[in-house]
PDB file of all heavy atoms in Angstrom:
ATOM      1  N   GLY I1068     -46.697  12.810  18.293  1.00 98.00           N
ATOM      2  CA  GLY I1068     -47.303  14.117  18.568  1.00 98.00           C
ATOM      3  C   GLY I1068     -48.691  14.050  19.170  1.00 98.00           C
ATOM      4  O   GLY I1068     -48.909  13.394  20.189  1.00 98.00           O
ATOM      5  N   ASN I1069     -49.635  14.692  18.485  1.00 98.00           N
ATOM      6  CA  ASN I1069     -50.974  14.893  19.051  1.00 98.00           C
ATOM      7  C   ASN I1069     -51.745  13.610  19.316  1.00 98.00           C
ATOM      8  O   ASN I1069     -52.553  13.538  20.237  1.00 98.00           O
ATOM      9  CB  ASN I1069     -51.816  15.758  18.099  1.00 98.00           C
ATOM     10  CG  ASN I1069     -51.347  17.189  18.116  1.00 98.00           C
ATOM     11  OD1 ASN I1069     -50.781  17.654  19.107  1.00 98.00           O
ATOM     12  ND2 ASN I1069     -51.568  17.901  17.015  1.00 98.00           N
ATOM     13  N   GLY I1070     -51.572  12.646  18.455  1.00 98.00           N
ATOM     14  CA  GLY I1070     -52.267  11.381  18.666  1.00 98.00           C
ATOM     15  C   GLY I1070     -53.735  11.402  18.291  1.00 98.00           C
ATOM     16  O   GLY I1070     -54.518  10.582  18.791  1.00 98.00           O
ATOM     17  N   SER I1071     -54.125  12.285  17.365  1.00 98.00           N
ATOM     18  CA  SER I1071     -55.555  12.296  16.994  1.00 98.00           C
ATOM     19  C   SER I1071     -55.932  11.015  16.255  1.00 98.00           C
ATOM     20  O   SER I1071     -57.054  10.521  16.387  1.00 98.00           O
ATOM     21  CB  SER I1071     -55.907  13.535  16.172  1.00 98.00           C
ATOM     22  OG  SER I1071     -55.337  13.468  14.888  1.00 98.00           O
ATOM     23  N   ASN I1072     -54.996  10.452  15.487  1.00 98.00           N
ATOM     24  CA  ASN I1072     -55.293   9.168  14.833  1.00 98.00           C
ATOM     25  C   ASN I1072     -55.359   8.043  15.863  1.00 98.00           C
ATOM     26  O   ASN I1072     -56.205   7.151  15.750  1.00 98.00           O
ATOM     27  CB  ASN I1072     -54.250   8.856  13.750  1.00 98.00           C
ATOM     28  CG  ASN I1072     -54.540   9.596  12.462  1.00 98.00           C
ATOM     29  OD1 ASN I1072     -55.444   9.223  11.712  1.00 98.00           O
ATOM     30  ND2 ASN I1072     -53.808  10.676  12.219  1.00 98.00           N
ATOM     31  N   LEU I1073     -54.484   8.087  16.851  1.00 98.00           N
ATOM     32  CA  LEU I1073     -54.557   7.116  17.950  1.00 98.00           C
ATOM     33  C   LEU I1073     -55.934   7.206  18.614  1.00 98.00           C
ATOM     34  O   LEU I1073     -56.585   6.184  18.865  1.00 98.00           O
ATOM     35  CB  LEU I1073     -53.445   7.400  18.977  1.00 98.00           C
ATOM     36  CG  LEU I1073     -53.550   6.643  20.288  1.00 98.00           C
ATOM     37  CD1 LEU I1073     -53.348   5.138  20.081  1.00 98.00           C
ATOM     38  CD2 LEU I1073     -52.528   7.181  21.308  1.00 98.00           C
ATOM     39  N   ALA I1141     -48.718   6.324  13.520  1.00 98.00           N
ATOM     40  CA  ALA I1141     -49.767   7.349  13.493  1.00 98.00           C
ATOM     41  C   ALA I1141     -49.137   8.678  13.882  1.00 98.00           C
ATOM     42  O   ALA I1141     -49.151   9.079  15.049  1.00 98.00           O
ATOM     43  CB  ALA I1141     -50.904   6.965  14.445  1.00 98.00           C
ATOM     44  N   GLY I1142     -48.525   9.311  12.886  1.00 98.00           N
ATOM     45  CA  GLY I1142     -47.821  10.557  13.165  1.00 98.00           C
ATOM     46  C   GLY I1142     -46.475  10.299  13.817  1.00 98.00           C
ATOM     47  O   GLY I1142     -45.972  11.139  14.559  1.00 98.00           O
ATOM     48  N   PHE I1143     -45.878   9.143  13.544  1.00 98.00           N
ATOM     49  CA  PHE I1143     -44.547   8.817  14.078  1.00 98.00           C
ATOM     50  C   PHE I1143     -43.516   9.451  13.152  1.00 98.00           C
ATOM     51  O   PHE I1143     -43.459   9.135  11.956  1.00 98.00           O
ATOM     52  CB  PHE I1143     -44.373   7.296  14.132  1.00 98.00           C
ATOM     53  CG  PHE I1143     -43.122   6.840  14.827  1.00 98.00           C
ATOM     54  CD1 PHE I1143     -42.956   7.034  16.197  1.00 98.00           C
ATOM     55  CD2 PHE I1143     -42.114   6.192  14.125  1.00 98.00           C
ATOM     56  CE1 PHE I1143     -41.810   6.593  16.852  1.00 98.00           C
ATOM     57  CE2 PHE I1143     -40.963   5.745  14.770  1.00 98.00           C
ATOM     58  CZ  PHE I1143     -40.821   5.948  16.143  1.00 98.00           C
ATOM     59  N   MET I1144     -42.712  10.371  13.702  1.00 97.00           N
ATOM     60  CA  MET I1144     -41.892  11.225  12.850  1.00 97.00           C
ATOM     61  C   MET I1144     -40.470  10.723  12.629  1.00 97.00           C
ATOM     62  O   MET I1144     -39.695  11.352  11.905  1.00 97.00           O
ATOM     63  CB  MET I1144     -41.846  12.650  13.431  1.00 97.00           C
ATOM     64  CG  MET I1144     -43.207  13.308  13.541  1.00 97.00           C
ATOM     65  SD  MET I1144     -44.123  13.287  11.976  1.00 97.00           S
ATOM     66  CE  MET I1144     -43.220  14.533  11.053  1.00 97.00           C
ATOM     67  N   ASN I1161     -48.382   2.778   7.722  1.00 98.00           N
ATOM     68  CA  ASN I1161     -48.255   4.207   8.021  1.00 98.00           C
ATOM     69  C   ASN I1161     -49.409   4.950   7.369  1.00 98.00           C
ATOM     70  O   ASN I1161     -49.961   4.501   6.360  1.00 98.00           O
ATOM     71  CB  ASN I1161     -46.930   4.735   7.458  1.00 98.00           C
ATOM     72  CG  ASN I1161     -46.703   6.200   7.794  1.00 98.00           C
ATOM     73  OD1 ASN I1161     -46.962   6.636   8.908  1.00 98.00           O
ATOM     74  ND2 ASN I1161     -46.224   6.971   6.830  1.00 98.00           N
ATOM     75  N   ILE I1162     -49.768   6.093   7.968  1.00 98.00           N
ATOM     76  CA  ILE I1162     -50.726   6.982   7.296  1.00 98.00           C
ATOM     77  C   ILE I1162     -50.016   8.281   6.971  1.00 98.00           C
ATOM     78  O   ILE I1162     -49.286   8.836   7.798  1.00 98.00           O
ATOM     79  CB  ILE I1162     -52.010   7.213   8.132  1.00 98.00           C
ATOM     80  CG1 ILE I1162     -53.020   8.002   7.299  1.00 98.00           C
ATOM     81  CG2 ILE I1162     -51.716   7.879   9.471  1.00 98.00           C
ATOM     82  CD1 ILE I1162     -54.454   7.814   7.720  1.00 98.00           C
ATOM     83  N   HIS I1163     -50.211   8.717   5.732  1.00 98.00           N
ATOM     84  CA  HIS I1163     -49.490   9.900   5.239  1.00 98.00           C
ATOM     85  C   HIS I1163     -50.513  10.907   4.702  1.00 98.00           C
ATOM     86  O   HIS I1163     -51.447  10.528   3.980  1.00 98.00           O
ATOM     87  CB  HIS I1163     -48.522   9.491   4.122  1.00 98.00           C
ATOM     88  CG  HIS I1163     -47.788  10.651   3.551  1.00 98.00           C
ATOM     89  ND1 HIS I1163     -46.737  11.254   4.204  1.00 98.00           N
ATOM     90  CD2 HIS I1163     -47.968  11.351   2.403  1.00 98.00           C
ATOM     91  CE1 HIS I1163     -46.293  12.267   3.483  1.00 98.00           C
ATOM     92  NE2 HIS I1163     -47.023  12.348   2.384  1.00 98.00           N
ATOM     93  N   PRO I1164     -50.321  12.199   5.002  1.00 98.00           N
ATOM     94  CA  PRO I1164     -51.310  13.196   4.597  1.00 98.00           C
ATOM     95  C   PRO I1164     -51.136  13.722   3.174  1.00 98.00           C
ATOM     96  O   PRO I1164     -50.966  14.924   2.956  1.00 98.00           O
ATOM     97  CB  PRO I1164     -51.123  14.311   5.638  1.00 98.00           C
ATOM     98  CG  PRO I1164     -49.677  14.235   5.985  1.00 98.00           C
ATOM     99  CD  PRO I1164     -49.294  12.776   5.892  1.00 98.00           C
ATOM    100  N   HIS I1176     -49.647  19.909   3.026  1.00 98.00           N
ATOM    101  CA  HIS I1176     -50.812  20.752   2.734  1.00 98.00           C
ATOM    102  C   HIS I1176     -50.400  22.034   2.007  1.00 98.00           C
ATOM    103  O   HIS I1176     -51.016  22.430   1.018  1.00 98.00           O
ATOM    104  CB  HIS I1176     -51.583  21.061   4.025  1.00 98.00           C
ATOM    105  CG  HIS I1176     -51.866  19.832   4.827  1.00 98.00           C
ATOM    106  ND1 HIS I1176     -52.592  18.779   4.322  1.00 98.00           N
ATOM    107  CD2 HIS I1176     -51.482  19.451   6.071  1.00 98.00           C
ATOM    108  CE1 HIS I1176     -52.672  17.817   5.227  1.00 98.00           C
ATOM    109  NE2 HIS I1176     -51.998  18.201   6.298  1.00 98.00           N
ATOM    110  N   GLN I1225     -57.345  15.398   8.070  1.00 98.00           N
ATOM    111  CA  GLN I1225     -57.352  14.582   9.299  1.00 98.00           C
ATOM    112  C   GLN I1225     -58.720  13.939   9.529  1.00 98.00           C
ATOM    113  O   GLN I1225     -58.797  12.816  10.026  1.00 98.00           O
ATOM    114  CB  GLN I1225     -56.922  15.423  10.498  1.00 98.00           C
ATOM    115  CG  GLN I1225     -55.406  15.651  10.495  1.00 98.00           C
ATOM    116  CD  GLN I1225     -54.766  15.498  11.850  1.00 98.00           C
ATOM    117  OE1 GLN I1225     -55.263  16.045  12.825  1.00 98.00           O
ATOM    118  NE2 GLN I1225     -53.655  14.782  11.930  1.00 98.00           N
ATOM    119  N   GLU I1228     -58.544  10.954   7.556  1.00 98.00           N
ATOM    120  CA  GLU I1228     -57.643   9.978   8.188  1.00 98.00           C
ATOM    121  C   GLU I1228     -58.338   9.221   9.305  1.00 98.00           C
ATOM    122  O   GLU I1228     -58.176   8.003   9.444  1.00 98.00           O
ATOM    123  CB  GLU I1228     -56.419  10.695   8.782  1.00 98.00           C
ATOM    124  CG  GLU I1228     -55.471  11.269   7.753  1.00 98.00           C
ATOM    125  CD  GLU I1228     -54.255  11.931   8.386  1.00 98.00           C
ATOM    126  OE1 GLU I1228     -54.239  12.138   9.623  1.00 98.00           O
ATOM    127  OE2 GLU I1228     -53.329  12.239   7.646  1.00 98.00           O
ATOM    128  N   HIS I1229     -59.125   9.964  10.085  1.00 98.00           N
ATOM    129  CA  HIS I1229     -59.735   9.352  11.277  1.00 98.00           C
ATOM    130  C   HIS I1229     -60.795   8.319  10.910  1.00 98.00           C
ATOM    131  O   HIS I1229     -61.143   7.476  11.737  1.00 98.00           O
ATOM    132  CB  HIS I1229     -60.323  10.439  12.184  1.00 98.00           C
ATOM    133  CG  HIS I1229     -59.276  11.379  12.703  1.00 98.00           C
ATOM    134  ND1 HIS I1229     -59.560  12.614  13.241  1.00 98.00           N
ATOM    135  CD2 HIS I1229     -57.911  11.254  12.735  1.00 98.00           C
ATOM    136  CE1 HIS I1229     -58.429  13.203  13.597  1.00 98.00           C
ATOM    137  NE2 HIS I1229     -57.424  12.396  13.296  1.00 98.00           N
TER     138      HIS I1229
HETATM  139  C1  GRF F 580     -51.257  12.859  10.448  1.00 95.69           C
HETATM  140  O1  GRF F 580     -51.684  13.870   9.604  1.00 95.69           O
HETATM  141  C2  GRF F 580     -50.580  11.763   9.697  1.00 95.69           C
HETATM  142  O2  GRF F 580     -51.036  11.642   8.389  1.00 95.69           O
HETATM  143  C3  GRF F 580     -49.145  12.210   9.678  1.00 95.69           C
HETATM  144  O3  GRF F 580     -48.936  12.839  10.908  1.00 95.69           O
HETATM  145  C4  GRF F 580     -50.165  13.354  11.389  1.00 95.69           C
HETATM  146  C5  GRF F 580     -50.338  12.842  12.775  1.00 95.69           C
HETATM  147  O4  GRF F 580     -51.408  13.437  13.436  1.00 95.69           O
HETATM  148  N1  GRF F 580     -48.277  11.089   9.456  1.00 95.69           N
HETATM  149  P1  GRF F 580     -51.885  12.899  14.843  1.00 95.69           P
HETATM  150  O5  GRF F 580     -50.669  12.874  15.759  1.00 95.69           O
HETATM  151  O6  GRF F 580     -52.458  11.533  14.651  1.00 95.69           O
HETATM  152  O7  GRF F 580     -52.897  13.900  15.305  1.00 95.69           O
END
Side-chain angles (χ1 to χ4, degrees):
N1069 288 334
S1071 70
N1072 279 284
L1073 169 67
F1143 188 67
M1144 300 307 286
N1161 183 42
I1162 187 156
H1163 178 76
H1176 310 301
Q1225 284 223 313
E1228 291 182 349
H1229 297 163

